[in-house]
Protein backbone atom coordinates (compact mmCIF):
# COMPACT_ATOMS: atom_id res chain seq x y z
CA UNK A 1 0.00 0.00 0.00
CA UNK A 2 2.76 2.43 0.99
CA UNK A 3 4.75 1.57 -2.13
CA UNK A 4 1.78 2.54 -4.30
CA UNK A 5 1.37 5.99 -2.76
CA UNK A 6 4.16 7.73 -4.71
CA UNK A 7 2.67 6.45 -7.96
CA UNK A 8 -0.80 7.55 -6.89
CA UNK A 9 0.44 10.99 -5.88
CA UNK A 10 2.32 11.34 -9.18
CA UNK A 11 -0.77 10.31 -11.13
CA UNK A 12 -2.91 12.85 -9.29
CA UNK A 13 -0.34 15.60 -9.88
CA UNK A 14 -0.11 14.86 -13.61
CA UNK A 15 -3.90 14.70 -13.90
CA UNK A 16 -4.20 18.00 -12.09
CA UNK A 17 -1.67 19.59 -14.41
CA UNK A 18 -3.53 18.26 -17.45
CA UNK A 19 -6.97 19.54 -16.45
CA UNK A 20 -6.19 22.75 -14.53
CA UNK A 21 -5.91 24.93 -17.63
CA UNK A 22 -9.05 23.61 -19.35
CA UNK A 23 -10.98 23.99 -16.08
CA UNK A 24 -9.86 27.61 -15.87
CA UNK A 25 -11.00 28.17 -19.45
CA UNK A 26 -14.35 26.58 -18.58
CA UNK A 27 -14.81 29.19 -15.86
CA UNK A 28 -13.87 32.04 -18.19
CA UNK A 29 -16.01 33.66 -20.87
CA UNK A 30 -13.56 32.89 -23.69
CA UNK A 31 -15.13 29.50 -24.39
CA UNK A 32 -18.90 29.43 -24.63
CA UNK A 33 -20.40 25.98 -24.57
CA UNK A 34 -23.88 25.31 -25.84
CA UNK A 35 -23.89 27.96 -28.59
CA UNK A 36 -25.24 26.43 -31.83
CA UNK A 37 -22.67 26.68 -34.61
CA UNK A 38 -25.19 28.24 -37.01
CA UNK A 39 -25.94 31.04 -34.53
CA UNK A 40 -22.32 31.94 -33.77
CA UNK A 41 -20.85 35.31 -34.74
CA UNK A 42 -18.67 35.22 -37.87
CA UNK A 43 -18.19 38.94 -38.39
CA UNK A 44 -14.89 40.67 -39.11
CA UNK A 45 -12.91 42.06 -36.18
CA UNK A 46 -11.05 44.91 -37.86
CA UNK A 47 -7.63 43.30 -37.40
CA UNK A 48 -7.00 43.18 -41.16
CA UNK A 49 -6.62 46.26 -43.38
CA UNK A 50 -9.32 46.68 -45.99
CA UNK A 51 -8.14 45.06 -49.22
CA UNK A 52 -9.51 47.83 -51.44
CA UNK A 53 -7.62 50.45 -49.41
CA UNK A 54 -4.33 48.54 -49.12
CA UNK A 55 -2.37 48.31 -52.39
CA UNK A 56 0.60 46.47 -50.84
CA UNK A 57 0.79 42.72 -50.29
CA UNK A 58 -0.39 41.40 -46.90
CA UNK A 59 0.11 38.11 -45.08
CA UNK A 60 -1.48 37.45 -41.70
CA UNK A 61 -1.72 34.43 -39.39
CA UNK A 62 -4.55 34.14 -36.87
CA UNK A 63 -5.52 31.90 -33.98
CA UNK A 64 -8.90 31.64 -32.27
CA UNK A 65 -10.38 29.28 -29.72
CA UNK A 66 -11.77 26.14 -31.32
CA UNK A 67 -15.52 25.61 -31.31
CA UNK A 68 -17.42 24.15 -28.35
CA UNK A 69 -15.55 21.89 -25.86
CA UNK A 70 -12.47 21.85 -28.13
CA UNK A 71 -11.85 25.46 -27.16
CA UNK A 72 -11.09 24.38 -23.60
CA UNK A 73 -7.89 22.81 -24.91
CA UNK A 74 -6.97 24.27 -28.26
CA UNK A 75 -7.06 27.02 -30.84
CA UNK A 76 -7.70 26.90 -34.57
CA UNK A 77 -5.15 28.68 -36.78
CA UNK A 78 -5.29 29.92 -40.37
CA UNK A 79 -3.33 31.96 -42.89
CA UNK A 80 -4.65 34.89 -44.92
CA UNK A 81 -2.93 36.41 -47.96
CA UNK A 82 -3.54 39.35 -50.27
CA UNK A 83 -1.28 39.94 -53.26
CA UNK A 84 -0.26 43.48 -54.15
CA UNK A 85 -3.17 45.23 -55.87
CA UNK A 86 -5.59 42.35 -55.20
CA UNK A 87 -9.15 43.41 -54.32
CA UNK A 88 -9.69 40.60 -51.82
CA UNK A 89 -8.02 38.22 -49.37
CA UNK A 90 -7.54 34.48 -49.72
CA UNK A 91 -7.98 32.44 -46.54
CA UNK A 92 -6.02 29.18 -46.35
CA UNK A 93 -7.05 26.71 -43.66
CA UNK A 94 -7.76 23.09 -42.82
CA UNK A 95 -11.17 22.08 -41.45
CA UNK A 96 -12.86 18.81 -40.63
CA UNK A 97 -15.88 19.30 -42.91
CA UNK A 98 -14.07 19.86 -46.22
CA UNK A 99 -12.71 17.21 -48.60
CA UNK A 100 -9.87 17.71 -49.13
CA UNK A 101 -9.41 19.27 -45.73
CA UNK A 102 -7.29 22.17 -47.02
CA UNK A 103 -9.15 25.00 -48.73
CA UNK A 104 -8.03 28.35 -50.18
CA UNK A 105 -10.99 30.65 -50.63
CA UNK A 106 -11.81 34.33 -50.92
CA UNK A 107 -13.03 35.52 -47.54
CA UNK A 108 -12.68 37.75 -44.50
CA UNK A 109 -9.19 37.22 -43.08
CA UNK A 110 -10.05 38.37 -39.55
CA UNK A 111 -13.44 36.71 -39.23
CA UNK A 112 -14.48 35.45 -35.80
CA UNK A 113 -14.06 31.68 -35.67
CA UNK A 114 -17.56 30.38 -34.83
CA UNK A 115 -17.94 33.14 -32.24
CA UNK A 116 -14.35 33.24 -30.94
CA UNK A 117 -12.39 36.47 -31.44
CA UNK A 118 -9.06 35.75 -33.17
CA UNK A 119 -5.59 36.86 -32.12
CA UNK A 120 -3.26 38.22 -34.79
CA UNK A 121 -0.07 36.15 -34.61
CA UNK A 122 1.79 37.60 -37.60
CA UNK A 123 1.32 40.63 -39.86
CA UNK A 124 3.55 41.09 -42.92
CA UNK A 125 3.29 43.92 -45.43
CA UNK A 126 4.98 44.97 -48.65
CA UNK A 127 7.80 43.10 -50.38
CA UNK A 128 8.40 40.61 -47.57
CA UNK A 129 4.70 39.68 -47.75
CA UNK A 130 4.88 39.40 -51.56
CA UNK A 131 7.84 37.02 -51.27
CA UNK A 132 5.96 34.94 -48.70
CA UNK A 133 2.87 34.76 -50.94
CA UNK A 134 4.91 33.44 -53.86
CA UNK A 135 6.28 30.67 -51.65
CA UNK A 136 2.88 29.91 -50.12
CA UNK A 137 1.21 29.62 -53.52
CA UNK A 138 3.86 27.13 -54.66
CA UNK A 139 3.59 25.07 -51.46
CA UNK A 140 -0.18 24.77 -51.07
CA UNK A 141 -0.56 21.96 -53.67
CA UNK A 142 2.17 20.03 -51.84
CA UNK A 143 0.40 19.81 -48.47
CA UNK A 144 0.55 16.07 -47.79
CA UNK A 145 -2.69 15.42 -45.89
CA UNK A 146 -6.07 15.30 -47.61
CA UNK A 147 -7.87 14.22 -44.43
CA UNK A 148 -8.44 15.82 -41.03
CA UNK A 149 -8.04 14.27 -37.60
CA UNK A 150 -8.81 16.37 -34.56
CA UNK A 151 -6.20 14.65 -32.35
CA UNK A 152 -3.26 14.40 -32.47
CA UNK A 153 -3.34 15.54 -36.10
CA UNK A 154 -3.13 16.25 -38.91
CA UNK A 155 -5.48 19.16 -38.32
CA UNK A 156 -5.65 22.92 -38.87
CA UNK A 157 -2.61 23.60 -36.71
CA UNK A 158 -0.62 20.88 -38.47
CA UNK A 159 -1.16 22.77 -41.71
CA UNK A 160 -0.14 26.16 -40.31
CA UNK A 161 3.00 24.73 -38.70
CA UNK A 162 3.84 22.85 -41.93
CA UNK A 163 3.62 26.10 -43.89
CA UNK A 164 5.54 28.17 -41.33
CA UNK A 165 8.43 25.67 -41.38
CA UNK A 166 8.78 26.07 -45.15
CA UNK A 167 8.31 29.81 -45.62
CA UNK A 168 11.16 31.71 -43.94
CA UNK A 169 9.24 35.00 -44.02
CA UNK A 170 6.63 33.47 -41.67
CA UNK A 171 8.69 34.11 -38.56
CA UNK A 172 6.20 33.25 -35.83
CA UNK A 173 5.99 31.03 -32.75
CA UNK A 174 2.63 29.27 -32.78
CA UNK A 175 0.66 29.13 -29.52
CA UNK A 176 1.19 26.19 -27.19
CA UNK A 177 -2.57 25.62 -27.51
CA UNK A 178 -2.23 24.99 -31.25
CA UNK A 179 -2.61 21.24 -30.70
CA UNK A 180 -1.50 19.46 -33.85
CA UNK A 181 1.39 21.82 -34.60
CA UNK A 182 3.81 19.10 -33.47
CA UNK A 183 2.43 16.46 -35.85
CA UNK A 184 5.35 15.93 -38.22
CA UNK A 185 5.01 14.76 -41.81
CA UNK A 186 7.53 11.93 -41.84
CA UNK A 187 10.15 11.23 -39.19
CA UNK A 188 10.31 12.24 -35.57
CA UNK A 189 12.84 15.10 -35.73
CA UNK A 190 12.25 18.47 -37.40
CA UNK A 191 13.04 22.13 -37.15
CA UNK A 192 10.79 24.08 -34.82
CA UNK A 193 8.08 26.04 -36.68
CA UNK A 194 9.97 29.30 -36.04
CA UNK A 195 13.12 27.81 -37.57
CA UNK A 196 15.19 28.80 -34.53
CA UNK A 197 15.57 25.33 -32.99
CA UNK A 198 14.49 21.70 -33.21
CA UNK A 199 11.83 19.38 -31.93
CA UNK A 200 11.28 15.68 -31.37
CA UNK A 201 7.73 14.42 -31.77
CA UNK A 202 6.02 11.02 -31.87
CA UNK A 203 2.90 11.59 -33.99
CA UNK A 204 2.21 14.87 -32.19
CA UNK A 205 1.30 13.08 -28.97
CA UNK A 206 4.64 12.96 -27.17
CA UNK A 207 7.81 14.97 -27.57
CA UNK A 208 9.79 18.07 -26.78
CA UNK A 209 11.04 21.26 -28.40
CA UNK A 210 13.92 23.66 -27.80
CA UNK A 211 14.22 26.85 -29.85
CA UNK A 212 15.25 30.45 -29.46
CA UNK A 213 11.77 31.81 -30.24
CA UNK A 214 9.52 29.11 -28.77
CA UNK A 215 11.71 28.40 -25.74
CA UNK A 216 11.45 24.92 -24.23
CA UNK A 217 8.29 22.82 -24.58
CA UNK A 218 7.22 19.40 -23.33
CA UNK A 219 4.38 17.69 -25.19
CA UNK A 220 2.30 15.07 -23.37
CA UNK A 221 -0.75 13.73 -25.22
CA UNK A 222 -0.67 16.85 -27.38
CA UNK A 223 -0.86 19.20 -24.40
CA UNK A 224 2.11 21.51 -23.97
CA UNK A 225 3.99 22.87 -20.97
CA UNK A 226 6.86 25.23 -21.56
CA UNK A 227 9.08 28.13 -20.62
CA UNK A 228 10.02 30.99 -22.94
CA UNK A 229 12.59 33.36 -21.46
CA UNK A 230 12.64 35.48 -24.63
CA UNK A 231 8.93 36.28 -24.27
CA UNK A 232 9.00 36.28 -20.44
CA UNK A 233 6.29 33.65 -20.27
CA UNK A 234 5.34 30.12 -19.36
CA UNK A 235 3.10 27.80 -21.38
CA UNK A 236 0.30 25.80 -19.83
CA UNK A 237 -2.23 23.34 -21.31
CA UNK A 238 -5.51 25.05 -22.08
CA UNK A 239 -4.21 28.48 -21.13
CA UNK A 240 -1.40 28.82 -23.64
CA UNK A 241 1.08 31.63 -23.02
CA UNK A 242 1.03 33.24 -19.59
CA UNK A 243 3.47 36.12 -19.06
CA UNK A 244 4.46 39.70 -19.68
CA UNK A 245 6.47 39.71 -22.92
CA UNK A 246 5.21 39.90 -26.51
CA UNK A 247 4.73 36.66 -28.45
CA UNK A 248 7.12 36.15 -31.35
CA UNK A 249 5.42 37.39 -34.50
CA UNK A 250 2.95 40.26 -34.54
CA UNK A 251 4.51 41.97 -31.56
CA UNK A 252 8.05 42.04 -32.93
Amino acid sequence: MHAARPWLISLLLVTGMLVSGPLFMLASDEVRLGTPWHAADRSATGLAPAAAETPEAVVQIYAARAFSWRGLFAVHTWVATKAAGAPHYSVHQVTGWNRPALTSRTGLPDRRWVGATPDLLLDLRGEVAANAIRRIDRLLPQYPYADYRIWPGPNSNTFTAWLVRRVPELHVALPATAIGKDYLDGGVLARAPSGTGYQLSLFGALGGLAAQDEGVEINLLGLVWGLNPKALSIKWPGLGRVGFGHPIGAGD
Side-chain angles (χ1 to χ4, degrees):
M1 181 68 178
H2 292 289
R5 286 181 180 175
W7 290 100
L8 179 59
I9 293 173
S10 298
L11 178 62
L12 291 174
L13 285 173
V14 171
T15 302
M17 292 172 67
L18 285 170
V19 303
S20 59
L23 286 176
F24 181 89
M25 294 304 303
L26 183 62
S28 73
D29 61 355
E30 292 190 44
V31 179
R32 299 181 180 181
L33 304 180
T35 302
W37 66 268
H38 54 81
D41 187 0
R42 291 176 173 80
S43 62
T45 57
L47 292 172
E53 301 171 5
T54 310
E56 62 184 347
V58 180
V59 176
Q60 295 183 318
I61 297 180
Y62 290 93
R65 284 284 164 177
F67 180 61
S68 188
W69 62 268
R70 302 172 183 84
L72 299 175
F73 300 89
V75 296
H76 167 78
T77 59
W78 65 94
V79 179
T81 61
K82 187 196 77 68
H88 57 75
Y89 284 87
S90 294
V91 178
H92 316 284
Q93 63 184 336
V94 162
T95 59
W97 54 83
N98 285 304
R99 294 294 182 273
L102 173 60
T103 58
S104 297
R105 296 172 178 167
T106 299
L108 296 175
D110 55 347
R111 183 196 301 269
R112 288 175 173 82
W113 179 252
V114 201
T117 301
D119 292 321
L120 179 61
L121 303 182
L122 182 71
D123 189 2
L124 301 180
R125 309 289 178 93
E127 188 59 29
V128 65
N131 291 337
I133 290 172
R134 285 190 284 270
R135 297 181 194 270
I136 290 169
D137 289 344
R138 287 197 300 266
L139 285 166
L140 288 174
Q142 302 175 29
Y143 183 63
Y145 304 113
D147 296 327
Y148 173 97
R149 185 167 56 196
I150 185 173
W151 181 91
N155 56 28
S156 62
N157 302 317
T158 306
F159 162 69
T160 304
W162 179 88
L163 203 58
V164 166
R165 286 188 182 95
R166 288 159 176 79
V167 180
E169 291 85 1
L170 303 183
H171 183 63
V172 60
L174 297 180
T177 45
I179 294 177
K181 70 180 179 64
D182 298 325
Y183 190 95
L184 304 179
D185 58 313
V188 296
L189 182 66
R191 293 180 67 87
S194 70
T196 61
Y198 292 89
Q199 69 177 116
L200 179 70
S201 180
L202 299 176
F203 305 104
L206 180 67
L209 178 150
Q212 181 179 348
D213 287 351
E214 285 95 344
V216 177
E217 296 182 358
I218 296 174
N219 176 340
L220 179 62
L221 301 179
L223 303 178
V224 171
W225 291 266
L227 176 66
N228 191 340
K230 185 174 182 179
L232 300 177
S233 62
I234 64 171
K235 303 176 185 183
W236 201 262
L239 298 180
R241 191 182 69 89
V242 181
F244 303 100
H246 292 293
I248 307 302
D252 291 276

PDB file of all heavy atoms in Angstrom, residues 51 54-58 81-88 126-127 129-130 133-134:
ATOM      1  N   ALA A  51      -8.879  45.407 -48.006  1.00  0.00           N
ATOM      2  CA  ALA A  51      -8.136  45.057 -49.221  1.00  0.00           C
ATOM      3  C   ALA A  51      -8.184  46.180 -50.248  1.00  0.00           C
ATOM      4  O   ALA A  51      -7.178  46.506 -50.889  1.00  0.00           O
ATOM      5  CB  ALA A  51      -8.694  43.764 -49.812  1.00  0.00           C
ATOM      6  N   THR A  54      -5.707  48.945 -49.423  1.00  0.00           N
ATOM      7  CA  THR A  54      -4.332  48.538 -49.123  1.00  0.00           C
ATOM      8  C   THR A  54      -3.694  47.980 -50.386  1.00  0.00           C
ATOM      9  O   THR A  54      -3.863  46.795 -50.710  1.00  0.00           O
ATOM     10  CB  THR A  54      -4.317  47.465 -48.006  1.00  0.00           C
ATOM     11  OG1 THR A  54      -5.106  47.926 -46.905  1.00  0.00           O
ATOM     12  CG2 THR A  54      -2.896  47.184 -47.541  1.00  0.00           C
ATOM     13  N   PRO A  55      -2.955  48.795 -51.133  1.00  0.00           N
ATOM     14  CA  PRO A  55      -2.374  48.308 -52.391  1.00  0.00           C
ATOM     15  C   PRO A  55      -1.232  47.314 -52.197  1.00  0.00           C
ATOM     16  O   PRO A  55      -0.972  46.504 -53.083  1.00  0.00           O
ATOM     17  CB  PRO A  55      -1.871  49.594 -53.059  1.00  0.00           C
ATOM     18  CG  PRO A  55      -1.656  50.552 -51.936  1.00  0.00           C
ATOM     19  CD  PRO A  55      -2.707  50.225 -50.912  1.00  0.00           C
ATOM     20  N   GLU A  56      -0.542  47.355 -51.063  1.00  0.00           N
ATOM     21  CA  GLU A  56       0.598  46.472 -50.838  1.00  0.00           C
ATOM     22  C   GLU A  56       0.149  45.058 -50.511  1.00  0.00           C
ATOM     23  O   GLU A  56      -1.008  44.806 -50.143  1.00  0.00           O
ATOM     24  CB  GLU A  56       1.473  47.005 -49.698  1.00  0.00           C
ATOM     25  CG  GLU A  56       0.735  47.070 -48.368  1.00  0.00           C
ATOM     26  CD  GLU A  56       1.578  47.691 -47.266  1.00  0.00           C
ATOM     27  OE1 GLU A  56       2.787  47.842 -47.466  1.00  0.00           O
ATOM     28  OE2 GLU A  56       1.017  48.023 -46.205  1.00  0.00           O
ATOM     29  N   ALA A  57       1.073  44.114 -50.643  1.00  0.00           N
ATOM     30  CA  ALA A  57       0.790  42.724 -50.291  1.00  0.00           C
ATOM     31  C   ALA A  57       0.687  42.587 -48.776  1.00  0.00           C
ATOM     32  O   ALA A  57       1.340  43.313 -48.018  1.00  0.00           O
ATOM     33  CB  ALA A  57       1.888  41.814 -50.827  1.00  0.00           C
ATOM     34  N   VAL A  58      -0.159  41.634 -48.336  1.00  0.00           N
ATOM     35  CA  VAL A  58      -0.385  41.402 -46.904  1.00  0.00           C
ATOM     36  C   VAL A  58      -0.433  39.903 -46.647  1.00  0.00           C
ATOM     37  O   VAL A  58      -1.057  39.149 -47.397  1.00  0.00           O
ATOM     38  CB  VAL A  58      -1.719  42.039 -46.421  1.00  0.00           C
ATOM     39  CG1 VAL A  58      -1.921  41.780 -44.921  1.00  0.00           C
ATOM     40  CG2 VAL A  58      -1.759  43.531 -46.708  1.00  0.00           C
ATOM     41  N   THR A  81      -3.858  35.717 -47.060  1.00  0.00           N
ATOM     42  CA  THR A  81      -2.928  36.410 -47.958  1.00  0.00           C
ATOM     43  C   THR A  81      -3.688  37.341 -48.894  1.00  0.00           C
ATOM     44  O   THR A  81      -4.829  37.079 -49.264  1.00  0.00           O
ATOM     45  CB  THR A  81      -2.118  35.411 -48.802  1.00  0.00           C
ATOM     46  OG1 THR A  81      -3.014  34.623 -49.613  1.00  0.00           O
ATOM     47  CG2 THR A  81      -1.313  34.471 -47.920  1.00  0.00           C
ATOM     48  N   LYS A  82      -3.006  38.423 -49.250  1.00  0.00           N
ATOM     49  CA  LYS A  82      -3.539  39.346 -50.272  1.00  0.00           C
ATOM     50  C   LYS A  82      -2.366  39.836 -51.107  1.00  0.00           C
ATOM     51  O   LYS A  82      -1.458  40.515 -50.608  1.00  0.00           O
ATOM     52  CB  LYS A  82      -4.251  40.547 -49.633  1.00  0.00           C
ATOM     53  CG  LYS A  82      -4.960  41.444 -50.657  1.00  0.00           C
ATOM     54  CD  LYS A  82      -5.309  42.787 -50.083  1.00  0.00           C
ATOM     55  CE  LYS A  82      -4.100  43.691 -50.005  1.00  0.00           C
ATOM     56  NZ  LYS A  82      -3.607  44.092 -51.377  1.00  0.00           N
ATOM     57  N   ALA A  83      -2.348  39.493 -52.376  1.00  0.00           N
ATOM     58  CA  ALA A  83      -1.279  39.940 -53.260  1.00  0.00           C
ATOM     59  C   ALA A  83      -1.368  41.441 -53.479  1.00  0.00           C
ATOM     60  O   ALA A  83      -2.427  42.057 -53.284  1.00  0.00           O
ATOM     61  CB  ALA A  83      -1.368  39.196 -54.586  1.00  0.00           C
ATOM     62  N   ALA A  84      -0.278  42.046 -53.873  1.00  0.00           N
ATOM     63  CA  ALA A  84      -0.264  43.482 -54.145  1.00  0.00           C
ATOM     64  C   ALA A  84      -1.294  43.825 -55.216  1.00  0.00           C
ATOM     65  O   ALA A  84      -1.335  43.198 -56.279  1.00  0.00           O
ATOM     66  CB  ALA A  84       1.130  43.917 -54.595  1.00  0.00           C
ATOM     67  N   GLY A  85      -2.147  44.796 -54.926  1.00  0.00           N
ATOM     68  CA  GLY A  85      -3.168  45.229 -55.867  1.00  0.00           C
ATOM     69  C   GLY A  85      -4.408  44.356 -55.906  1.00  0.00           C
ATOM     70  O   GLY A  85      -5.376  44.699 -56.602  1.00  0.00           O
ATOM     71  N   ALA A  86      -4.426  43.242 -55.186  1.00  0.00           N
ATOM     72  CA  ALA A  86      -5.587  42.350 -55.204  1.00  0.00           C
ATOM     73  C   ALA A  86      -6.762  42.989 -54.463  1.00  0.00           C
ATOM     74  O   ALA A  86      -6.572  43.641 -53.435  1.00  0.00           O
ATOM     75  CB  ALA A  86      -5.245  41.012 -54.574  1.00  0.00           C
ATOM     76  N   PRO A  87      -7.990  42.784 -54.948  1.00  0.00           N
ATOM     77  CA  PRO A  87      -9.155  43.411 -54.316  1.00  0.00           C
ATOM     78  C   PRO A  87      -9.743  42.592 -53.169  1.00  0.00           C
ATOM     79  O   PRO A  87     -10.752  42.990 -52.579  1.00  0.00           O
ATOM     80  CB  PRO A  87     -10.155  43.494 -55.472  1.00  0.00           C
ATOM     81  CG  PRO A  87      -9.823  42.298 -56.317  1.00  0.00           C
ATOM     82  CD  PRO A  87      -8.336  42.118 -56.225  1.00  0.00           C
ATOM     83  N   HIS A  88      -9.134  41.461 -52.862  1.00  0.00           N
ATOM     84  CA  HIS A  88      -9.691  40.598 -51.817  1.00  0.00           C
ATOM     85  C   HIS A  88      -8.584  39.766 -51.177  1.00  0.00           C
ATOM     86  O   HIS A  88      -7.457  39.679 -51.693  1.00  0.00           O
ATOM     87  CB  HIS A  88     -10.757  39.668 -52.408  1.00  0.00           C
ATOM     88  CG  HIS A  88     -10.247  38.814 -53.536  1.00  0.00           C
ATOM     89  ND1 HIS A  88      -9.432  37.716 -53.352  1.00  0.00           N
ATOM     90  CD2 HIS A  88     -10.418  38.918 -54.879  1.00  0.00           C
ATOM     91  CE1 HIS A  88      -9.131  37.171 -54.507  1.00  0.00           C
ATOM     92  NE2 HIS A  88      -9.710  37.885 -55.465  1.00  0.00           N
ATOM     93  N   GLY A 126       4.016  44.551 -47.642  1.00  0.00           N
ATOM     94  CA  GLY A 126       4.975  44.967 -48.650  1.00  0.00           C
ATOM     95  C   GLY A 126       5.733  43.825 -49.303  1.00  0.00           C
ATOM     96  O   GLY A 126       5.194  42.731 -49.532  1.00  0.00           O
ATOM     97  N   GLU A 127       7.018  44.055 -49.614  1.00  0.00           N
ATOM     98  CA  GLU A 127       7.801  43.104 -50.383  1.00  0.00           C
ATOM     99  C   GLU A 127       8.008  41.786 -49.640  1.00  0.00           C
ATOM    100  O   GLU A 127       7.988  40.715 -50.251  1.00  0.00           O
ATOM    101  CB  GLU A 127       9.151  43.713 -50.748  1.00  0.00           C
ATOM    102  CG  GLU A 127       9.966  42.862 -51.712  1.00  0.00           C
ATOM    103  CD  GLU A 127       9.253  42.614 -53.036  1.00  0.00           C
ATOM    104  OE1 GLU A 127       8.441  43.471 -53.459  1.00  0.00           O
ATOM    105  OE2 GLU A 127       9.506  41.557 -53.648  1.00  0.00           O
ATOM    106  N   ALA A 129       5.968  40.411 -47.614  1.00  0.00           N
ATOM    107  CA  ALA A 129       4.702  39.685 -47.754  1.00  0.00           C
ATOM    108  C   ALA A 129       4.554  39.116 -49.165  1.00  0.00           C
ATOM    109  O   ALA A 129       4.089  37.978 -49.344  1.00  0.00           O
ATOM    110  CB  ALA A 129       3.529  40.601 -47.427  1.00  0.00           C
ATOM    111  N   ALA A 130       4.954  39.879 -50.170  1.00  0.00           N
ATOM    112  CA  ALA A 130       4.881  39.405 -51.555  1.00  0.00           C
ATOM    113  C   ALA A 130       5.751  38.165 -51.751  1.00  0.00           C
ATOM    114  O   ALA A 130       5.349  37.205 -52.427  1.00  0.00           O
ATOM    115  CB  ALA A 130       5.292  40.514 -52.512  1.00  0.00           C
ATOM    116  N   ILE A 133       4.019  35.218 -50.155  1.00  0.00           N
ATOM    117  CA  ILE A 133       2.868  34.755 -50.936  1.00  0.00           C
ATOM    118  C   ILE A 133       3.318  33.871 -52.096  1.00  0.00           C
ATOM    119  O   ILE A 133       2.687  32.847 -52.400  1.00  0.00           O
ATOM    120  CB  ILE A 133       2.042  35.960 -51.437  1.00  0.00           C
ATOM    121  CG1 ILE A 133       1.334  36.633 -50.251  1.00  0.00           C
ATOM    122  CG2 ILE A 133       1.009  35.510 -52.477  1.00  0.00           C
ATOM    123  CD1 ILE A 133       0.645  37.931 -50.605  1.00  0.00           C
ATOM    124  N   ARG A 134       4.404  34.260 -52.754  1.00  0.00           N
ATOM    125  CA  ARG A 134       4.909  33.437 -53.857  1.00  0.00           C
ATOM    126  C   ARG A 134       5.289  32.043 -53.360  1.00  0.00           C
ATOM    127  O   ARG A 134       4.992  31.034 -54.021  1.00  0.00           O
ATOM    128  CB  ARG A 134       6.100  34.130 -54.516  1.00  0.00           C
ATOM    129  CG  ARG A 134       5.725  35.306 -55.410  1.00  0.00           C
ATOM    130  CD  ARG A 134       6.897  35.804 -56.224  1.00  0.00           C
ATOM    131  NE  ARG A 134       7.821  36.587 -55.412  1.00  0.00           N
ATOM    132  CZ  ARG A 134       7.731  37.908 -55.250  1.00  0.00           C
ATOM    133  NH1 ARG A 134       6.761  38.578 -55.830  1.00  0.00           N
ATOM    134  NH2 ARG A 134       8.633  38.536 -54.523  1.00  0.00           N
TER     135      ARG A 134
END
